[in-house]
Amino acid sequence: MRALPAPPRAPFNSAMNGEELRRYAGLDREGRKLLQLAFETLGLSARAYNRIVKVARTIADLAGAEQIEAAHVAEADPVMGIFIPGHMD
């Protein structure tokens, strides 16, 4: 059986726009909760959110994960210079 081609998307995660992020960079429940915590405690902007999701998507790709998990978000935040309080407990 022949594999179906991957759906078209930005050639690099860093080039994804908002629509592509929503379509291809899905977060699991814990990942969403961790990002929500960042918004509430650090007052992150939508731009910062998108940047964290793009880095987390890259980490998830390297791990071979279909969805972005909380561990990917947690790994992405220090890369971005953002430290979400309470996620290292």
Side-chain angles (χ1 to χ4, degrees):
M1 189 182 260
R2 203 178 98 178
L4 295 175
R9 74 178 227 200
F12 302 104
N13 292 338
S14 63
M16 280 194 224
N17 62 32
E19 181 182 329
E20 290 168 325
L21 280 175
R22 285 186 294 281
R23 185 178 301 150
Y24 301 115
L27 286 96
D28 70 1
R29 180 197 224 173
E30 293 301 314
R32 282 192 304 274
K33 285 171 60 176
L34 189 55
L35 277 178
Q36 182 64 34
L37 175 66
F39 268 92
E40 291 171 0
T41 58
L42 301 174
L44 295 180
S45 66
R47 182 176 181 196
Y49 172 91
N50 287 345
R51 291 178 66 207
I52 292 170
V53 171
K54 288 175 185 182
V55 172
R57 176 71 266 168
T58 299
I59 293 167
D61 286 344
L62 292 171
E66 188 75 23
Q67 268 194 319
I68 299 170
E69 301 167 4
H72 304 133
V73 174
E75 190 173 342
D77 75 323
V79 170
M80 302 301 299
I82 298 167
F83 298 92
I84 302 170
H87 88 272
M88 304 267 270
D89 296 339

